[in-house]
């Protein structure tokens, strides 16, 4: 589950830090009831060997893959493993060059080593007062130009302001931004617009709800970002100023002069790839419609990359729950649906870059391998772990139009459904499903069973002890079977799922599908 790493820290604000409860024992699963409507034969998902998901997970979450961090060798090994499983199953390659890979040349952005901002008699310094977001080495002096939130060409933005070669000051966040993801996305838009306007630097006055200490800790580490457009030019020097107590409000006033010095953030290429294969549908008409099955296969890496404490004896963040678990469900569904194909076509999509900002799915949404207009649903699977092995948790169950199929898929394998766990966490917008939703595609997230972000979740979430030996493999088996069956039922529906009326993504859906 995506955290921008910062969200992993913020989870601690919600997770109970008292005694850690033991993982509950799995309930004995009743015999599966699902049957092929035209035959008494078992469906392929019912025949899935119990040891097969375990074998996949033990490899993907092994120490040898070094936490599968995007841009690192272990991530590329995981992608190769998934691609060869697709090949073994006979999926049609959906990537570039008749292969399974959709390559992405991410930017790896190192941390700044120095930054100061002199304002009158005050000198603001890296860490305590400043974080460097982007840009190369810079030394700049001059009057600042205040542009409101810096997101538009309106009166409270850039209208009537010549900022070419000048230092721009903007208010942090946006009028709509509430969570970390929205704040970061707004900041990226500001930097893009400031670059387009020819500004020399962008300073944001940060006064959001996320404590400055967390912000500083996050931006003191390496980040990974989507590649900049070829014609976009180098990003401007971009800094956040800690304005939590409105102590630097004078930067909004005309005539203020500053001197800015920064080492910048070094950039290099971090190659990775989404992995995609197609299972062609059997219905002559419906096979031109696609159900996407998605899961991210990346995790957070080793040592300081992981963003959480670790012991010298175990510095590898294996990511068994987040999200080798979901990737194995994806592979299991691919096997079941190739053995008995549904009416609609299936795009099986293993995504990279989720833990560094939902980047693999964001790239896919802008560069789809099958037309989004023909993509009727995304059944994403991702989660922080489980604290109830009798359940599957679904974020977006009531919103995305396939409640009956999702509930039936779980019930067939003795599992219940728990909808919208931990609503205070805003989970719908924290995994790869949101990039499909933003384009209009109904896209819930299917997660291992949890009812709250409690100590049982916090014990393993983005922790080095989240390794294969801690997994309940009987529960993993049933989860994989249920996920595959949900996918089958959705792909065989007579009608397309629809956003519920009034959902915030309903308008995007109507625009996408021409409704």
């Amino acid at each position: 589950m995506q955290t921008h790493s910062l969200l992993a820290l913020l989870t601690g604000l919600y997770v109970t830090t008292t005694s850690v409860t033991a993982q509950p024992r799995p309930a004995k699963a009743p015999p599966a009831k699902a049957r092929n409507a035209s035959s008494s034969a078992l469906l392929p998902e019912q025949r899935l060997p119990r040891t097969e998901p375990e074998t996949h997970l033990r490899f993907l979450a092994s120490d040898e893959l070094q936490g599968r961090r995007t841009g690192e060798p272990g991530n590329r090994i995981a992608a190769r493993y998934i691609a060869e499983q697709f090949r073994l199953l006979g999926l049609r390659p959906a990537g570039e060059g008749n292969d399974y890979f959709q390559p992405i040349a991410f930017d790896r952005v190192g941390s700044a080593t120095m930054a100061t901002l002199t304002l009158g008699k005050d000198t603001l310094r890296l860490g305590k007062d400043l974080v460097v977001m982007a840009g190369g080495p810079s030394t700049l002096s001059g009057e600042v130009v205040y542009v409101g939130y810096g997101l538009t060409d309106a009166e409270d933005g850039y209208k009537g302001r010549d900022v070419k070669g000048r230092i721009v000051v903007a208010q942090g966040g946006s009028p709509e931004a509430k969570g970390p993801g929205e704040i970061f996305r707004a900041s990226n838009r500001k930097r893009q617009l400031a670059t387009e306007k020819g500004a020399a630097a962008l300073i944001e006055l940060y006064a959001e709800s996320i404590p400055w200490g967390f912000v500083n800790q996050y931006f003191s580490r390496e980040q990974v970002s989507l590649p900049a457009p070829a014609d976009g030019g180098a990003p401007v020097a971009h800094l956040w100023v800690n304005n939590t107590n409105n102590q630097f409000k004078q930067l909004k006033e005309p005539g203020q002069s500053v001197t800015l010095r920064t080492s910048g953030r070094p950039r290099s290429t971090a190659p990775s790839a989404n992995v995609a294969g197609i299972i062609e549908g059997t219905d002559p008409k419906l096979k031109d419609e696609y159900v996407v099955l998605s899961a991210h296969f990346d995790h957070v890496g080793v040592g300081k990359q992981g963003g959480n404490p670790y012991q010298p004896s175990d510095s590898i963040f294996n990511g068994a729950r987040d999200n080798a678990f979901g990737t194995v469900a994806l592979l299991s569904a691919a096997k079941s649906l190739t053995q008995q194909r549904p009416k609609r076509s299936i795009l099986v999509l293993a995504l990279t870059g989720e833990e560094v900002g939902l980047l693999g799915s964001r790239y896919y949404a802008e560069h789809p391998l099958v037309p989004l207009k023909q993509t009727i649903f995304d059944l994403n699977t991702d989660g922080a772990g489980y604290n109830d092995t009798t359940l599957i948790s679904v974020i977006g169950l009531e919103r995305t139009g396939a409640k009956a199929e999702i509930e039936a898929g779980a019930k067939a394998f003795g599992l219940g459904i728990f909808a919208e766990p931990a609503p205070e966490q805003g989970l719908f917008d924290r995994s790869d499903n949101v990039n499909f939703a933003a384009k209009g595609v109904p896209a819930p997230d299917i997660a291992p069973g949890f009812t709250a972000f409690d100590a049982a979740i916090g014990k393993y979430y983005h922790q080095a002890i989240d390794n294969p030996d801690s997994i309940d493999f009987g529960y993993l088996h049933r989860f994989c079977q249920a996920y595959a069956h949900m996918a089958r039922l959705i792909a065989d529906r007579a009608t397309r799922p629809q956003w519920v009326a009034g959902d915030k993504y309903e308008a995007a859906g109507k625009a996408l599908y021409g409704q």
Side-chain angles (χ1 to χ4, degrees), residues 294-358:
S294 62
H296 77 90
F297 64 88
D298 65 299
H299 196 53
V300 297
V302 299
K304 292 181 179 179
Q305 293 175 330
N308 276 323
Y310 59 91
Q311 298 299 320
S313 59
D314 185 6
S315 62
I316 300 171
F317 291 77
N318 301 86
R321 288 160 175 77
D322 183 13
N323 188 37
F325 204 99
T327 305
V328 170
L330 194 72
L331 292 173
S332 300
K335 180 178 181 179
S336 292
L337 297 172
T338 53
Q339 290 179 336
Q340 185 172 320
R341 293 181 292 139
K343 294 177 181 179
R344 288 183 177 84
S345 294
I346 304 290
L347 175 70
V348 187
L349 182 62
L351 293 160
T352 191
E354 193 267 0
E355 297 289 3
V356 291
L358 312 180

Side-chain angles (χ1 to χ4, degrees), residues 407-469:
E407 290 179 334
K411 184 178 180 180
F413 295 94
L415 294 168
I417 290 292
F418 190 91
E420 315 306 332
E424 77 282 354
Q425 295 278 335
L427 297 176
F428 190 94
D429 291 350
R430 276 178 52 183
S431 190
D432 290 311
N433 58 296
V434 71
N435 284 321
F436 286 89
K439 294 292 186 181
V441 179
D445 180 49
I446 310 301
F450 73 104
T451 56
F453 264 82
D454 62 4
I457 298 296
K459 179 180 179 180
Y460 294 100
Y461 181 45
H462 285 209
Q463 302 297 322
I465 64 169
D466 182 17
N467 58 55
D469 288 334

Side-chain angles (χ1 to χ4, degrees), residues 352-369:
T352 191
E354 193 267 0
E355 297 289 3
V356 291
L358 312 180
L359 299 185
S361 57
R362 191 168 135 203
Y363 185 88
Y364 179 88
E366 296 299 329
H367 307 87
L369 297 172

Side-chain angles (χ1 to χ4, degrees), residues 188-362:
N188 289 337
R189 290 197 300 272
K190 294 176 197 184
R191 180 166 66 247
Q192 182 180 357
L193 188 54
T195 301
E196 292 171 358
K197 298 288 186 183
L202 170 63
I203 297 169
E204 281 189 77
L205 301 177
Y206 182 85
E208 308 307 310
S209 59
I210 309 165
W212 180 258
F214 289 127
V215 170
N216 178 48
Q217 184 175 349
Y218 175 63
F219 286 107
S220 295
R221 299 198 303 268
E222 172 191 284
Q223 272 86 50
V224 176
S225 63
L226 285 174
D231 58 351
V236 299
H238 182 187
L239 290 83
W240 281 6
V241 169
N242 181 7
N243 195 43
T244 304
N245 297 315
N246 205 28
Q247 62 269 45
F248 301 115
K249 61 183 178 180
Q250 66 265 41
L251 282 169
K252 300 180 182 181
E253 299 170 0
Q256 297 295 315
S257 294
V258 301
T259 297
L260 169 65
R261 295 182 177 89
T262 171
S263 64
R265 302 190 66 173
R267 304 176 80 88
S268 59
T269 300
S272 189
N274 294 327
V275 191
I278 290 173
I279 303 166
E280 186 173 347
T282 59
D283 187 279
K285 294 182 179 179
L286 293 180
K287 71 178 182 179
D288 290 333
E289 298 179 352
Y290 290 84
V291 174
V292 173
L293 307 184
S294 62
H296 77 90
F297 64 88
D298 65 299
H299 196 53
V300 297
V302 299
K304 292 181 179 179
Q305 293 175 330
N308 276 323
Y310 59 91
Q311 298 299 320
S313 59
D314 185 6
S315 62
I316 300 171
F317 291 77
N318 301 86
R321 288 160 175 77
D322 183 13
N323 188 37
F325 204 99
T327 305
V328 170
L330 194 72
L331 292 173
S332 300
K335 180 178 181 179
S336 292
L337 297 172
T338 53
Q339 290 179 336
Q340 185 172 320
R341 293 181 292 139
K343 294 177 181 179
R344 288 183 177 84
S345 294
I346 304 290
L347 175 70
V348 187
L349 182 62
L351 293 160
T352 191
E354 193 267 0
E355 297 289 3
V356 291
L358 312 180
L359 299 185
S361 57
R362 191 168 135 203

Side-chain angles (χ1 to χ4, degrees), residues 121-207:
K121 296 181 180 180
D122 295 322
T123 298
L124 287 61
R125 300 189 182 279
L126 183 68
K128 178 184 177 183
D129 308 301
L130 305 172
V131 294
V132 180
M133 304 287 287
S138 299
T139 299
L140 302 165
S141 295
E143 286 190 8
V144 301
V145 181
Y146 181 65
V147 293
Y149 282 104
L151 290 166
T152 70
D153 286 320
E155 292 286 352
D156 58 348
Y158 283 92
K159 186 173 182 180
R161 295 171 174 87
D162 180 10
V163 300
K164 190 170 183 178
R166 303 182 71 182
I167 300 170
V168 169
V169 173
Q171 180 62 44
S174 77
E176 297 80 25
K178 294 179 177 61
E182 293 171 319
I183 293 169
F184 293 153
R185 284 191 288 273
S187 187
N188 289 337
R189 290 197 300 272
K190 294 176 197 184
R191 180 166 66 247
Q192 182 180 357
L193 188 54
T195 301
E196 292 171 358
K197 298 288 186 183
L202 170 63
I203 297 169
E204 281 189 77
L205 301 177
Y206 182 85

